[in-house]
Amino acid sequence: MKRRYSLAQLTTLELDPPAMISTAAKTGYQACGIRLLPVSPGGIGYPLMDDPALLRETLARMDDTGVRVADLEIIRLTESFNAQDYIAFFEVGQKLGAANILVGGNDTNEARATESFARLCEACKPYGLTADIEFMPWLPVDRVSAARRIVEAAGQSNGGVLVDPLHFARSASTLEELAALPKAMIHYAQICDAPAGIPTETSELIHTARCARLPAGEGGIDLQGIFERIPPETLISVEIPNDALRAGMSAEAWAAHCLKTSQQLLDQIDAESR
């Protein structure tokens, strides 16, 4: 089976949605992600909910290229979360034909986070969207087992766990836990690499995640172990931001390099598993 790849917004964060679609098309991706809401206040986001002209241009670019929108970022489960606040987000996702929502687990109260996640799943399901918790080692939902626990307790068919190799490698997660994760929970997965070892400071963890990831095969993460345990039909989101390596490179050149290295590594894994 030929794998499918999506260009993650964070890889080329400076590109607005139409430019993301064009860049994905030119460099061989089948899809791309769009960050509708910023990761933190004042961060970069492209709120198509509030910009009808940019939404029209995005849809036209999709028609022209055949590239689809795979995932939307980011909805965070906070202590004050209300799923109804995101109806415009879901509506735009439906217009784009998007499949997945990236979800951050920011609430320290797991019972409340679980209830919020259930309400999010219920609210976005009519729009054809899944909700996928990306565990991150500096957040309350910090490992694969914590994300699975919330998804299972929420009991929603469109709930999922998003596996990011960087966060997996730097959290208290195991390959056994990944292998045991129900395949129905894996709607898509990310790929990247990073130096071996786990930073002791949260600021370092965040810096690497947002600014210093490595192309697949250029770091020390056990990508073979991870991707041997993820179904090969899973859409792969290529999320590799690196400010230093990208210096002097165009977004198109960087996106192409990240796709090439990802394909090479996963092709090798697939060949060895046959």
Side-chain angles (χ1 to χ4, degrees), residues 12 24 29 51 94 111 124 127 148 169 206 223 229 235 272-273:
T12 49
Y29 294 83
D51 194 335
Q94 185 177 49
C124 73
Y127 300 90
R148 176 178 178 174
I206 295 174
L223 294 177
R229 291 160 176 81
L235 178 72
E272 292 174 359
S273 66

Side-chain angles (χ1 to χ4, degrees), residues 3-5 162-166 168 175 178-179 183 186 188-193 213-217 221-240 261-263 265-273:
R3 289 184 181 265
R4 298 169 298 131
Y5 294 88
L162 175 58
V163 178
D164 178 328
L166 178 69
F168 182 89
L175 291 174
L178 180 57
K183 301 314 176 191
I186 304 176
Y188 72 115
Q190 295 176 338
I191 191 169
C192 68
D193 212 334
R213 299 181 187 224
L214 296 175
I221 294 177
D222 180 12
L223 294 177
Q224 179 161 351
I226 292 170
F227 283 98
E228 283 179 344
R229 291 160 176 81
I230 292 176
E233 66 271 16
T234 304
L235 178 72
I236 303 299
S237 175
V238 179
E239 185 175 69
I240 310 175
T261 56
S262 299
Q263 288 174 319
L265 184 134
L266 292 180
D267 285 351
Q268 179 180 341
I269 292 172
D270 292 342
E272 292 174 359
S273 66

Side-chain angles (χ1 to χ4, degrees), residues 20-96:
M20 279 291 292
I21 292 163
S22 293
T23 299
K26 291 176 182 177
T27 52
Y29 294 83
Q30 290 74 52
C32 72
I34 292 178
R35 182 169 290 185
L36 295 180
L37 295 174
V39 167
S40 56
I44 294 176
Y46 302 96
L48 295 177
M49 305 81 72
D50 306 320
D51 194 335
L54 189 60
L55 176 58
R56 287 194 298 272
E57 185 181 356
T58 302
L59 292 169
R61 202 71 60 91
M62 292 172 65
D63 287 341
D64 290 343
T65 63
V67 169
R68 69 182 186 88
V69 173
D71 66 290
L72 305 173
E73 301 177 19
I74 177 174
I75 292 179
R76 293 195 177 276
L77 303 178
T78 63
E79 60 184 30
S80 60
F81 176 82
N82 183 348
Q84 298 307 305
D85 293 340
Y86 297 92
I87 296 300
F89 185 109
F90 306 149
E91 290 174 342
V92 163
Q94 185 177 49
K95 290 176 182 176
L96 293 169

Side-chain angles (χ1 to χ4, degrees), residues 38-39 72-79 81 86 89 101-108 113-114 116-117 120 131-136 138-142 147 150 160 162 167 188 210:
V39 167
L72 305 173
E73 301 177 19
I74 177 174
I75 292 179
R76 293 195 177 276
L77 303 178
T78 63
E79 60 184 30
F81 176 82
Y86 297 92
F89 185 109
I101 299 172
L102 192 156
V103 180
N106 289 67
D107 193 340
T108 56
T114 300
S116 294
F117 184 71
L120 171 60
D132 299 270
I133 299 181
E134 182 180 14
F135 58 92
M136 305 177 195
W138 62 87
L139 294 181
V141 183
D142 62 351
I150 288 176
L162 175 58
H167 302 327
Y188 72 115
R210 297 180 181 174

